[in-house]
Amino acid sequence: MGTTRNAPLEAWMREHGHSANSLAEAANRAVEHLTGRTGSYDGSSVRAWKSGRIRWPNQLTRQALEIVTGLSAADLGFVPRGRAHTTPAPQQEDDMKRRTLVGGGLAVAAAAAAPGTAPRRIGMADVERLQKRFTEVIASDHRRGGQPDIEQQAAALADEALNLQRAGSSTQRVRSSLYAAAAAFRSSAMWAAIDGRRYPEAQAHMREAQALAEMSGDQGIKFRIWSHAGSMYRHMGRPGDAIAANDVARGLHITRRDPLFASLGLARQAAIHGTAQDRTGAHRAVGQAQDAMTRADTNLHRPVWLLAFYDQAELDSLALSAYLSLGDYPTAEAHAHRCLAALRPHMARSRAIAQTRLAHAQLAQGDAEAAVHSAMQVPATAATQHARVSRMLSEFGATLRATASGSPVVTTWTEHTAAWRASA
């Protein structure tokens, strides 16, 4: 007797843009949350599920797939042993089993109300309330990026979104929106940790954000998390891992629907190519990012996190990073000036980073006086409290003393940094 293909699973994969390999990766991460050990699925495992060769996976596999999809094994088209494919799937399963996620910070209890009270109905208004508070976290990040309190606020919002899942009943749309919100908040916690060079914390946030994003089915937040992962590995000096993570983001079908997502993915790819000393790849990616941004429809609805930061100034900032890494200092300086001219007033953190990189590009071209003038424009708070800016300015000072020893600008810089420290 031949096997019957698992049409529900295939349909879910098509709807959510999953290949066999990407679903296997998501399931492996879910197993890690359940057991502490990464799963061993690959593309052939998923093909066996799709083809019907495996009609009823083992319990761990079923739990992992339920975490990834938010659906029961029966709803995904799997059939318990001894039942025919034509047997109607159960209409309901134990909510505790379907909703409880074990591991990390993902423990979500079943929806329950206190004895004698009616369950609360959770709606989109609850999601919107959380999203409004999220904008405050984003605003703080743009002002003071990388601070532990921003990371903690974002993580707390993620937990609050998950707690709403157990506060009452809701529709599938609301549940998906809450998972997407939790993933977005956790992704912001991840970014704050990256910006503060707290990489172990960033990786922990990343794992939780990835699992939540899979449950939400939201392509935009999946892109954000994988794109952040690429940036994290770039800052850690691991360009191979950075390219692989960013390729996952760029492979999502949202980048084909919306050129602005494609542009961000390409701009970050350029910065990674710069770290990897791939001059041709960086130059090509910058050009492609610019072309995609030109094609982007400004009237499309997009998530607040994207609209809050990605524009021409950010594209030039990433190009600045790429060319600075490559040692093409005149081109880096040109992008720095373009970035600083276009930055929106509230982007204080981005301005400090661009100003510091401009100083590096000018110093590398032998213009110590202009470089010191640029570096002195960085606010004291960023210079002393932002981990990335502090490190870049420390490196700037060391290079200045090595290349312009005895110059009055060295004295000027030394006195200025002493004033920074005194005001911190």
Side-chain angles (χ1 to χ4, degrees):
M1 183 177 177
T3 58
T4 303
R5 294 191 67 81
N6 187 332
L9 177 62
E10 290 182 317
W12 186 91
M13 290 175 64
R14 282 195 303 272
E15 180 184 352
H16 294 87
H18 268 294
S19 66
N21 288 335
S22 68
L23 179 56
E25 291 171 4
N28 285 335
R29 291 193 298 272
V31 168
E32 184 176 7
H33 281 291
L34 289 165
T35 68
R37 300 175 59 184
T38 304
S40 57
Y41 308 117
D42 56 20
S44 63
S45 307
V46 178
R47 287 188 286 275
W49 304 334
K50 289 168 58 179
S51 69
R53 291 198 305 275
I54 295 179
R55 297 173 59 198
W56 189 245
N58 63 36
Q59 182 178 4
L60 179 60
T61 301
R62 298 196 306 272
Q63 290 176 329
L65 288 173
E66 287 172 10
I67 287 176
V68 170
T69 66
L71 299 174
S72 70
D75 289 339
L76 286 171
F78 294 110
V79 181
R81 292 179 181 85
R83 292 188 186 177
H85 270 278
T86 55
T87 302
Q91 294 301 303
Q92 293 184 341
E93 293 187 1
D94 184 342
D95 267 354
M96 179 69 78
K97 176 182 175 185
R98 292 181 61 178
R99 290 188 175 185
T100 301
L101 310 177
V102 182
L106 297 178
V108 181
T117 64
R120 178 188 169 194
R121 186 72 173 172
I122 307 300
M124 289 304 296
D126 296 289
V127 180
E128 290 164 5
R129 176 178 53 80
L130 284 173
Q131 292 287 9
K132 286 179 181 178
R133 292 169 59 193
F134 184 41
T135 60
E136 298 170 8
V137 173
I138 291 174
S140 293
D141 180 62
H142 290 317
R143 290 194 306 270
R144 311 181 293 110
Q147 301 308 312
D149 66 299
I150 298 174
E151 177 188 349
Q152 292 158 8
Q153 289 169 18
L157 274 177
D159 290 341
E160 189 170 338
L162 290 177
N163 286 338
L164 273 177
Q165 295 279 11
R166 65 185 174 198
S169 60
S170 60
T171 64
Q172 179 62 46
R173 174 174 175 249
V174 171
R175 285 197 299 273
S176 295
S177 296
L178 282 170
Y179 282 130
F185 305 152
R186 187 64 67 174
S187 179
S188 285
M190 171 189 175
W191 179 253
I194 293 169
D195 212 19
R197 299 183 60 80
R198 299 182 296 276
Y199 298 126
E201 291 88 343
Q203 289 172 301
H205 291 308
M206 177 184 70
R207 287 190 289 270
E208 295 200 17
Q210 285 169 335
L212 289 165
E214 291 296 339
M215 285 184 286
S216 76
D218 187 306
Q219 286 273 307
I221 193 56
K222 289 181 187 180
F223 175 94
R224 187 187 195 213
I225 293 161
W226 281 106
S227 186
H228 277 176
S231 296
M232 178 183 70
Y233 291 127
R234 171 168 64 90
H235 289 302
M236 292 172 71
R238 293 163 55 178
D241 291 331
I243 287 284
N246 201 53
D247 278 347
V248 175
R250 292 178 57 228
L252 293 167
H253 62 74
I254 196 169
T255 63
R256 296 186 287 279
R257 292 201 318 262
D258 187 345
L260 195 64
F261 278 91
S263 178
L264 175 55
L266 286 160
R268 284 180 166 162
Q269 196 86 334
I272 297 167
H273 284 316
T275 301
Q277 297 299 298
D278 181 353
R279 186 176 301 273
T280 301
H283 184 71
R284 180 173 57 246
V286 168
Q288 290 173 334
Q290 189 67 66
D291 177 66
M293 177 171 281
T294 302
R295 291 185 287 106
D297 182 352
T298 57
N299 295 318
L300 285 181
H301 174 75
R302 296 184 174 96
V304 63
W305 61 262
L306 181 65
L307 296 176
F309 90 101
Y310 190 61
D311 54 12
Q312 184 62 55
E314 179 65 15
L315 197 163
D316 281 307
S317 177
L318 289 163
L320 160 61
S321 174
Y323 287 112
L324 193 62
S325 296
L326 290 167
D328 185 347
Y329 302 118
T331 305
E333 181 177 1
H335 281 287
H337 288 301
R338 286 183 59 183
C339 171
L340 290 166
L343 271 171
R344 287 172 273 180
H346 68 278
M347 305 290 280
R349 183 270 315 275
S350 296
R351 185 172 297 278
I353 290 172
Q355 198 75 48
T356 304
R357 286 174 173 159
L358 170 61
H360 274 274
Q362 291 170 326
L363 184 60
Q365 294 176 81
D367 194 346
E369 187 173 345
V372 168
H373 175 76
S374 294
M376 288 172 63
Q377 305 309 306
V378 178
T381 50
T384 58
Q385 296 176 23
H386 189 282
R388 277 203 286 152
V389 173
S390 295
R391 178 176 176 177
M392 286 192 292
L393 286 172
S394 177
E395 292 169 349
F396 172 82
T399 303
L400 177 68
R401 288 187 290 273
T403 58
S405 178
S407 170
V409 295
V410 176
T411 302
T412 300
W413 178 248
T414 301
E415 292 173 350
H416 187 77
T417 54
W420 268 345
R421 289 190 291 272
S423 66

